[in-house]
Amino acid sequence: MASSSCLLLFVSLSLLSAAFASQILFETFDEPFDGRWVVSEKGEYTGTWKHEKSQGHDDFGLLVSEKARKYGIVHELAEPVTLKKNAVVLQYDLRLQNGLECGGAYLKFLLPHEAGWDAKQFDNESPYSIMFGPDKCGGTNKVHFIFRHKNPKTGVYVEHHLKNPPSPVNDKRSHVYSAVLYPDNTLKILVDGEEKKSVNLLSSDFEPPIVPPKTIPDPDDKKPEDWDERAKIPDPDATKPDDWDEDAPMEIEDLEAEKPEGWLDDEPEEVDDPEAGKPEDWDDEEDGEWEAPKIPNPKCDEAPGCGEWKRPMKRNPAYKGKWYAPMIDNPNYKGIWKPQQIPNPEYFELEHPDLEPIGAVGIEIWTMQDGILFDNILITTDETEASKIRETTWKVKFDAEKEDETVAAPADDGIVNTYKRKVFSFARDAIEAPFLASYKPKLLELVDHGEKNANVTLGVLALILLLVLYMFYKLLCGKPAAPPVPVGREKKEDISSADDKHEESKDEDEADEPAGEIAKEDEGKSGGARRRRRRET
């Protein structure tokens, strides 16, 4: 019995030892980070890191607490990690509590100190081995994976970027990002434990690829001066025909056309609206002589047409346009010139990438959002362990956040609550349209307000829908044409003074002024003055 107990104890200790050996770093931020992490003292890194709980949880993390700041912080490992013999998992939890519109949320896995960097001076120039994690701004919205590799021929480090990387999750829940590097050169990227990308480090999935091309264009090879790349040339023997008239117009009057019978030459196309009346508060001195608005002449509807009749235009059968000599095959054509290929002095063969070791983990970002929470940063050589940590840390938080959203959702007491979340989700997607970029911050605030206040939900949605439709119309159709100016207005402008014209020019510059600002300026003015200002704008 004693021997079997000893054997069981030995096996248990061996398994426990193996588990600890596989776990190189597991930073849970359960305790304040002071003493373990060093905040960059570089002048531009003014963002304040905080040890805070995740919203709705008792679980702590490392918080980006201020907007529009640069942040830098680093944690040095006890021993450098090599990336050659074993599978290595790089993993961390991320929660964008206030979303992410423009900024980074990635980690940098730095080279050991021997590479020449100082924790207190940590910045974007500090040499790293791998950069991994979400980044979003403008047209960028991806989970970065970049690794630096030294060319053995030149000794120069080159950054290799994963092409077509997966997209990050842009909601406000907790998510976990994992990158797994295998000894067979495979890289897998997982989001919330689900595989999103699997590539070979030596493949063309990276830009530039690790292995340079065998040959390159000879930089000293120059195109000969007599090299002719024109496949076709104008026929030098061709001449313009004598009867070719380049000045003939494209269209001419149709002399065979006749004015339709019943055409009303003396009837205008528009007449005064007989039902319109002069407003009671119209002031001729202030508003000008009143003229009734115009409507289409009803007599024209019963006739072929009204007003002056003109012959229609037709295509000129004599039109030929400018004469050009026909194109023929170029007898001197030699093809498109390319420099000759020579052996690439930087080329090398490689079976396995020589990935640089990891000596520290750093966060060096710039962001326009606060509320970014980093947690459960893990480096391990055991995929099973990484999976268990996801289940016991991230999954618990994620499920609780989903449950909270379900509990917080209003009861289904009508069509508004039934479709509210879907409609607001659509509104958020619509706001991402490029032509709404200048309105985006205010629109997002409006959406948040509408989601939280049921009594204004319909109004907010209607306002956003109208704005989106209006901006889409402007994008497709341009600025609408100005409406016809009443006759009375025209008469007044005919005798306008220089000061009047200056004011009109000023009004044109303010034509795009928001309606709310115009309303403020109109306060206290007479009814006629308000009407005149609105007509002019």
Side-chain angles (χ1 to χ4, degrees):
M1 288 291 292
S3 61
S4 60
S5 299
C6 290
L7 179 60
L8 180 61
L9 178 62
F10 175 76
V11 171
S12 300
L13 289 175
S14 298
L15 291 174
L16 184 63
S17 175
F20 278 112
S22 68
Q23 190 181 103
I24 299 159
L25 170 69
F26 184 38
E27 174 58 85
T28 63
F29 295 105
D30 289 339
E31 301 295 332
F33 57 84
D34 300 328
R36 300 191 312 281
W37 291 75
V38 178
V39 177
S40 175
E41 297 178 0
K42 292 291 287 283
E44 66 267 33
Y45 292 86
T46 58
T48 302
W49 295 100
K50 289 187 177 180
H51 181 243
E52 293 282 351
K53 289 182 180 179
S54 181
Q55 293 176 3
H57 302 291
D58 290 329
D59 185 47
F60 282 89
L62 181 64
L63 180 70
V64 169
S65 66
E66 298 173 283
K67 299 179 180 179
R69 293 285 189 274
K70 277 188 174 183
Y71 289 82
I73 193 169
V74 65
H75 171 73
E76 189 172 1
L77 303 180
E79 294 290 337
V81 182
T82 60
L83 303 173
K84 296 180 180 180
K85 296 181 180 180
N86 302 311
V88 176
V89 182
L90 310 175
Q91 179 172 292
Y92 69 106
D93 295 359
L94 179 68
R95 189 177 186 191
L96 308 174
Q97 298 177 123
N98 296 324
L100 183 63
E101 297 303 322
C102 188
Y106 44 77
L107 303 184
K108 285 186 174 181
F109 298 88
L110 305 173
L111 272 61
H113 271 304
E114 290 75 20
W117 61 275
D118 178 67
K120 292 183 178 180
Q121 298 300 306
F122 174 51
D123 62 10
N124 65 328
E125 298 297 327
S126 300
Y128 67 88
S129 175
I130 290 172
M131 189 172 105
F132 170 59
D135 187 20
K136 181 182 180 184
C137 197
T140 298
N141 185 28
K142 57 188 175 183
V143 179
H144 273 302
F145 188 90
I146 306 170
F147 68 94
R148 296 171 73 247
H149 188 268
K150 184 166 70 173
N151 185 310
K153 287 288 189 71
T154 64
V156 175
Y157 281 96
V158 178
E159 287 186 353
H160 303 278
H161 295 241
L162 176 62
K163 297 191 294 187
N164 304 314
S167 298
V169 186
N170 288 325
D171 61 27
K172 298 180 181 180
R173 298 174 184 165
S174 298
H175 297 281
V176 57
Y177 294 89
S178 313
V180 189
L181 294 156
Y182 296 92
D184 66 353
N185 304 334
T186 299
L187 162 69
K188 289 184 179 180
I189 294 179
L190 291 72
V191 179
D192 293 347
E194 181 182 348
E195 183 179 310
K196 297 294 184 180
K197 194 79 173 180
S198 178
V199 296
N200 190 298
L201 294 176
L202 295 179
S203 71
S204 59
D205 289 298
F206 287 87
E207 179 61 37
I210 291 185
V211 179
K214 288 185 177 182
T215 61
I216 59 172
D218 185 353
D220 298 324
D221 191 13
K222 307 298 180 184
K223 182 170 70 173
E225 294 182 1
D226 61 348
W227 191 279
D228 196 336
E229 295 182 326
R230 299 172 300 165
K232 298 279 188 178
I233 60 171
D235 185 353
D237 298 327
T239 56
K240 183 172 68 173
D242 294 337
D243 61 348
W244 192 288
D245 184 1
E246 291 185 336
D247 299 325
M250 184 181 293
E251 290 185 330
I252 57 175
E253 280 189 352
D254 185 359
L255 299 178
E256 297 178 358
E258 296 182 358
K259 182 168 63 176
E261 189 174 338
W263 188 279
L264 305 178
D265 297 83
D266 298 328
E267 286 290 340
E269 294 182 3
E270 291 185 333
V271 294
D272 292 346
D273 184 354
E275 298 182 1
K278 181 178 179 179
E280 293 181 1
D281 60 348
W282 186 275
D283 188 333
D284 288 343
E285 292 185 1
E286 188 172 332
D287 296 329
E289 181 182 352
W290 182 82
E291 295 285 347
K294 299 292 185 179
I295 62 170
N297 189 344
K299 294 181 180 180
C300 296
D301 294 337
E302 303 172 359
C306 293
E308 181 185 358
W309 181 81
K310 294 181 180 179
R311 294 183 184 278
M313 303 295 287
K314 70 175 185 178
R315 183 172 179 81
N316 182 2
Y319 172 76
K320 294 184 178 181
K322 186 173 178 60
W323 181 85
Y324 295 95
M327 303 297 286
I328 62 172
D329 292 336
N330 182 3
N332 297 320
Y333 175 65
K334 296 183 178 180
I336 302 300
W337 183 86
K338 294 180 181 179
Q340 64 178 349
Q341 295 287 306
I342 61 173
N344 184 358
E346 298 182 2
Y347 172 76
F348 58 88
E349 294 184 355
L350 192 67
E351 290 187 7
H352 298 285
D354 189 16
L355 297 178
E356 297 293 324
I358 296 173
V361 179
I363 306 175
E364 187 275 317
I365 57 175
W366 176 88
T367 178
M368 290 298 293
Q369 274 69 48
D370 58 357
I372 302 173
L373 194 78
F374 295 87
D375 198 7
N376 297 321
I377 299 175
L378 173 69
I379 302 177
T380 181
T381 57
D382 189 340
E383 279 191 89
T384 302
E385 179 186 29
S387 178
K388 289 180 180 178
I389 287 176
R390 285 197 299 268
E391 290 296 316
T392 57
T393 57
W394 162 76
K395 190 69 164 57
V396 175
K397 291 184 292 185
F398 181 78
D399 289 344
E401 289 157 9
K402 286 184 65 176
E403 181 67 24
D404 287 345
E405 289 177 2
T406 303
V407 172
D412 184 7
D413 58 357
I415 192 168
V416 173
N417 285 329
T418 302
Y419 296 103
K420 179 178 176 181
R421 290 178 64 189
K422 291 183 178 180
V423 173
F424 271 105
S425 176
F426 172 78
R428 289 184 183 278
D429 291 340
I431 291 170
E432 294 293 331
F435 59 84
L436 290 175
S438 59
Y439 300 90
K440 188 174 181 179
K442 292 293 184 184
L443 288 174
L444 287 173
E445 289 181 14
L446 203 58
V447 168
D448 289 338
H449 184 63
E451 283 184 301
K452 295 174 183 176
N453 298 274
N455 58 323
V456 297
T457 293
L458 287 177
V460 168
L461 288 175
L463 182 60
I464 292 173
L465 179 61
L466 286 174
L467 180 58
V468 170
L469 290 175
Y470 172 69
M471 293 300 298
F472 189 65
Y473 170 78
K474 286 192 69 176
L475 183 68
L476 291 180
C477 305
K479 191 171 181 178
V485 180
V487 173
R489 175 68 178 169
E490 291 175 353
K491 291 180 179 179
K492 188 172 182 179
E493 288 177 349
D494 289 342
I495 58 173
S496 62
S497 65
D499 289 340
D500 290 335
K501 292 183 178 180
H502 173 73
E503 290 300 321
E504 289 169 9
S505 174
K506 183 178 178 182
D507 287 343
E508 290 176 3
D509 292 338
E510 297 174 352
D512 294 329
E513 190 176 12
E517 296 300 319
I518 294 175
K520 290 179 183 177
E521 293 183 16
D522 283 345
E523 290 180 4
K525 293 185 179 179
S526 67
R530 289 197 298 272
R531 285 193 302 276
R532 186 172 68 257
R533 171 160 174 78
R534 289 189 173 96
R535 286 201 309 274
E536 292 171 352
T537 56

